[in-house]
């Protein structure tokens, strides 16, 4: 369910005038006195810088000093990081440009959680996930050229991953534009996951947890096609669960950023602690696909964080979910990934009664906003957002979002 | 340039009511008396059937009887053909559904070549290339499971091809929705071709034509990165050249169908006439990617042929152009492909003065339509469409389109003739 109800594709076709581009440079300069209002506010780059530093410090330390990582591998990871950094700046510059085009085609929404305040009448551009997606794809495609440790099996998996992620972005953007029925939305990720399932040449065995061995009778169980079914379902789950754990400014991108950071730390720790080259390659593979996603997502967050200048659309949530499912599958750590997704799982379980139709399910299951106090009150809808509000009392949108993201971090540290 | 100017994204947000789906079944049944008007006319399936038979007869004959093709290979080709057939029916059913959604989001255009007649006021859904693209991708992805002759190199090329085509569909649809500036449009295919360039593990050598060997000094020349640049430019050319050779009902899809049919015939002839397994694999690879495109395109043509019920959008022309560039590159027959593209090349050359800015270039370079007579008159714009009209006099839209498609078929035939005549002398 989209976080923001799209305003009806109606009368207003006036194009927003082009905005000058200085304000989106890395060092924020004062905006020139433009003759007309720019379409979106400047990015909150200071905030992003602080957030990134919080993660980058331990991450870079682990890569460069703490672990003794093979030189070639380290070089590939750092090249990928450099590419991702370039992608960050490219996305920061692209989003305002894309916003103009998107507004011109009436792809916008009104911020429901600001209804009744002046900001509730602003047309917020939707589906900026398309800008992130396109920059990401270019980064991921170009990186292949720089990866010196590639063999043909790696190339197959990488290209299948690219095809899956690309197809998902296409389906997500098509959904944002055409607003497909939610039953179709549910199965779209299965189609997008197909290249992955076809190319997956890994083992389909699972290791039975030791306590269960006497009951099952074996140590290793070959699931065969059931494992592929699991992979497909994982893709469906990751994409849709992020999509429904939404509704506050910055929540969708924020949760993705937190999980991505956790994934990268997990990957680098596993590389550092392991001696098996195949195992290290699997985690490196994950790093190569997640670093660009983290960088481009941070760029999006700089506009999407409270108060949101742009909305991300299903394009973004599907892209993020699929990328994480892809790396979890090809990196062979999907169980760990599911633990990172615990808040999303909780949200999904809370949502089940309404999704299954047992309880009446409104179009938006957002909390109630009081324009006077600026606080949100929890409704009886089954979402983590509302649950937190009911448990912890009324909150502002920003503090609630921060609380939910800290909850996400908490589970990862577990 | 889009064939049809999109109506400004303006006031009318009324959704067309859902249409009942019977009329899109393969055997046309009389439409039930629906309480409201359906959004688009039923597909012209009879026409498509006759067109397909025209091509399928020689094609199937070559595959099944004339050539002695390896059993495994033949089986893969026929499985792919079966999948493509399923894709045809899926697309025929999907297009009316997609049209409703597309109209609801104001992605439509008015048929400029019917302006002044009642049909000129109908809102025609745009960008139905997205339906074709999605069905195509599903077919292409699923086919991997059925290809028993796949090795890891094949899988790399196939997945890189899928990634390129998928990225192109994404960029094409984004262009249709957001209407990006034409300078950006030009370079989009270069980005989409990147997976292909990265994964291309083939030789970058070209064989110097025998007559030129004394001048060049070698028989084989290794172009290295220049060959990759050529591949990138080929992708940009194929996509944009189809895009500008447009403007009549059914022209964009029609030219693609003709070229695709020629490609398949070329592939099967080369497979039959060759003994080199790698060479056969390269042409089989092309068949696996072009058959689904031909089938889904025929489904689109059943709605897009004169008079058009739907418009295809840049999504379709970019998808078609990229697919053909991809198979030309990975099948190693890009020079042959360029000869199939002769009309597109001519159109591009005719268009150069206006594209380069020497001559004033209007938004649409379409011929002038006279609602009284129903005939088109050529303007002085530099397109093949206008050139034909100036050379052959006024024509109806349908007959002009047929003429241009015959010209395309002639170019393909000319290519086959040329190859037959020059075999041995040229290479």
């Amino acid at each position: 369910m989209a976080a923001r109800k799209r305003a009806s594709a109606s009368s207003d076709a006036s194009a927003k005038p082009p905005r000058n581009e200085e304000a989106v440079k890395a060092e924020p300069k004062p905006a020139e006195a433009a003759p007309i209002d720019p379409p979106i506010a400047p990015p909150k780059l200071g905030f992003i810088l602080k957030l990134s530093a919080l993660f980058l410090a331990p991450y870079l330390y682990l890569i460069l000093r703490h672990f003794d990582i093979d030189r070639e591998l380290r070089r590939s990871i750092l090249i990928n990081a450099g590419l991702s950094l370039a992608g960050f700046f490219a996305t920061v510059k692209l989003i305002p440009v894309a916003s103009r085009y998107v507004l011109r085609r009436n792809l916008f929404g009104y911020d429901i959680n600001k209804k009744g305040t002046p900001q509730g009448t602003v047309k917020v551009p939707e589906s900026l996930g398309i800008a992130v997606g396109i920059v990401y794809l270019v980064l991921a495609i170009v990186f292949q050229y720089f990866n010196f440790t590639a063999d043909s099996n790696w190339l197959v998996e990488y290209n299948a991953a690219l095809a899956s992620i690309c197809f998902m972005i296409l389906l997500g953007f098509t959904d944002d534009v055409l607003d497909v029925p939610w039953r179709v939305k549910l199965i779209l990720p299965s189609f997008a996951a197909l290249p992955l399932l076809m190319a997956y040449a890994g083992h389909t065995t699972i290791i039975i947890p030791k306590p269960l061995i006497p009951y099952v009778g074996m140590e290793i169980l070959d699931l065969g096609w059931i494992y592929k079914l699991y992979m497909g379902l994982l893709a469906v789950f990751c994409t849709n669960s992020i999509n429904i754990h939404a509704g506050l400014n910055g929540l969708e991108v924020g949760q993705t950023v937190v999980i991505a950071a956790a994934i990268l730390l997990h990957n680098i720790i596993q590389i550092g602690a392991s001696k098996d080259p195949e195992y290290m390659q699997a985690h490196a593979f994950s790093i190569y696909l997640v670093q660009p996603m983290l960088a481009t997502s941070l760029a999006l967050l700089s506009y999407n964080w409270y108060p949101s200048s742009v909305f991300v659309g299903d394009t973004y949530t599907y892209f993020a979910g699929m990328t994480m499912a892809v790396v979890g599958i090809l990196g062979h750590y999907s169980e760990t990934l599911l633990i990172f997704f615990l808040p999303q799982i909780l949200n999904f379980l809370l949502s089940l009664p309404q999704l299954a139709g047992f309880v009446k399910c409104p179009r938006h299951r957002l909390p109630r906003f009081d324009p006077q106090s600026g606080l949100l009150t929890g409704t009886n809808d089954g979402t983590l957002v509302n649950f937190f509000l009911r448990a912890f009392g009324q909150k502002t949108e920003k503090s609630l979002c921060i609380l939910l993201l800290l909850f996400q971090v908490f589970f990862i540290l577990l």
Side-chain angles (χ1 to χ4, degrees), chain A:
Chain A
M1 282 130 219
R4 304 278 180 264
K5 180 74 189 105
R6 180 174 300 123
S8 61
S10 56
S11 30
D12 192 357
S14 55
K16 295 278 173 181
R19 131 201 199 84
N20 59 48
E21 292 193 292
E22 278 106 22
V24 310
K25 289 221 175 70
E27 290 79 40
K29 298 181 189 157
E32 271 185 26
I36 23 189
D37 285 318
I40 61 178
K44 304 159 193 76
L45 288 169
F47 165 72
I48 293 299
L49 213 68
K50 281 176 267 171
L51 194 70
S52 318
L54 191 71
F55 156 73
L56 275 179
Y59 182 61
L60 286 174
Y61 167 70
L62 286 175
I63 298 180
L64 298 170
R65 289 196 62 86
H66 186 86
F67 289 122
D68 183 23
I69 301 176
D70 169 64
R71 296 202 85 185
E72 278 298 315
L73 188 56
R74 183 184 303 184
R75 195 155 148 221
S76 287
I77 293 177
L78 290 173
I79 289 175
N80 186 285
L83 261 181
S84 305
L85 186 67
F88 171 80
F89 291 115
T91 313
V92 168
K93 293 203 86 141
L94 182 61
I95 286 177
V97 175
S99 300
R100 282 199 328 260
Y101 284 90
V102 153
L103 278 176
R104 208 168 53 185
R105 299 290 298 158
N106 286 339
L107 272 170
F108 64 84
Y110 294 109
D111 197 336
I112 297 181
N113 281 342
K114 298 185 181 45
K115 199 170 169 183
T117 70
Q119 213 162 354
T121 58
V122 171
K123 284 185 189 160
V124 186
E126 267 270 23
S127 310
L128 266 303
I130 187 67
V132 173
I134 289 178
V135 175
Y136 175 86
L137 285 172
V138 174
L139 294 175
I141 291 168
V142 167
F143 173 69
Q144 283 179 91
Y145 181 69
F146 293 105
N147 185 18
F148 310 109
T149 59
D151 64 2
S152 65
N153 198 42
W154 186 92
L155 279 173
V156 176
E157 291 193 342
Y158 196 81
N159 278 287
L162 279 186
S164 281
I165 296 170
C166 185
F167 199 13
M168 192 74 251
I169 297 175
L170 173 67
L171 292 173
F173 188 61
T174 307
D175 173 35
D176 269 342
V177 172
L178 301 184
D179 212 9
V180 304
W182 71 266
R183 282 186 184 82
V184 177
K185 262 160 118 109
L186 269 186
I187 60 168
L188 289 179
S190 339
F191 287 111
L194 284 175
L196 202 61
L197 299 183
M198 295 295 156
Y200 183 72
H203 56 89
T204 50
T205 56
I206 56 167
I207 301 169
I208 308 288
K210 291 205 180 77
L212 292 176
I213 294 179
Y215 300 100
V216 180
M218 332 167 224
E219 282 189 353
I220 299 179
L221 178 63
D222 187 355
L223 291 175
W225 64 269
I226 301 182
Y227 195 81
K228 294 217 164 181
L229 184 65
Y230 160 70
M231 279 163 46
L233 291 174
L234 186 70
V236 176
F237 175 75
C238 287
T239 48
N240 285 296
S241 65
I242 295 183
N243 208 9
I244 62 175
H245 186 40
L248 306 177
N249 285 176
L251 183 55
E252 306 91 343
V253 195
Q255 68 191 275
T256 303
V257 162
V258 171
I259 300 177
I263 287 177
L264 288 176
L265 286 168
H266 173 69
N267 289 145
I268 206 69
I269 290 171
Q270 295 303 102
I271 289 179
S274 157
K275 301 221 177 328
D276 178 0
E278 227 182 85
Y279 189 72
M280 295 200 295
Q281 270 297 348
H283 281 278
F285 190 92
S286 168
I287 290 183
Y288 300 145
L289 287 177
V290 177
Q291 274 182 160
M293 181 179 79
L294 179 59
T296 49
S297 299
L298 281 170
L300 183 58
L301 190 61
S302 73
Y303 289 95
N304 184 248
W305 184 248
Y306 184 92
S308 291
S309 313
V310 302
F311 291 149
V312 303
D314 288 348
T315 314
Y316 179 77
T317 59
Y318 277 178
F319 154 66
M322 180 55 86
T323 305
M324 294 193 280
V326 162
V327 295
I329 288 169
L330 293 178
H332 304 298
Y333 60 91
S334 54
E335 315 86 37
T336 313
L337 185 72
L338 281 173
I339 299 178
F340 292 160
F341 266 68
L342 264 170
Q344 280 73 19
I345 296 178
L346 280 174
N347 186 52
F348 168 67
L349 292 173
L350 282 171
S351 303
L352 259 183
Q354 285 181 302
L355 295 177
F358 296 137
V359 178
K360 183 174 163 328
C361 187
R363 177 74 176 89
H364 283 291
R365 301 185 293 147
L366 291 171
R368 224 172 35 243
F369 176 68
D370 179 5
Q372 303 300 331
S373 59
L375 295 176
L376 292 169
T377 318
T379 62
N380 279 330
D381 287 309
T383 62
L384 210 56
V385 169
N386 282 305
F387 177 78
F388 265 53
L389 282 172
R390 294 197 299 266
F392 300 111
Q394 289 184 325
K395 293 213 160 303
T396 63
E397 186 175 359
K398 183 173 181 176
S399 55
L400 178 59
C401 190
I402 293 176
L403 187 64
L404 284 163
L405 293 180
L406 285 175
F407 182 61
Q408 190 93 45
V409 175
F410 168 69
F411 264 103
I412 288 162
L413 292 175
L414 276 186

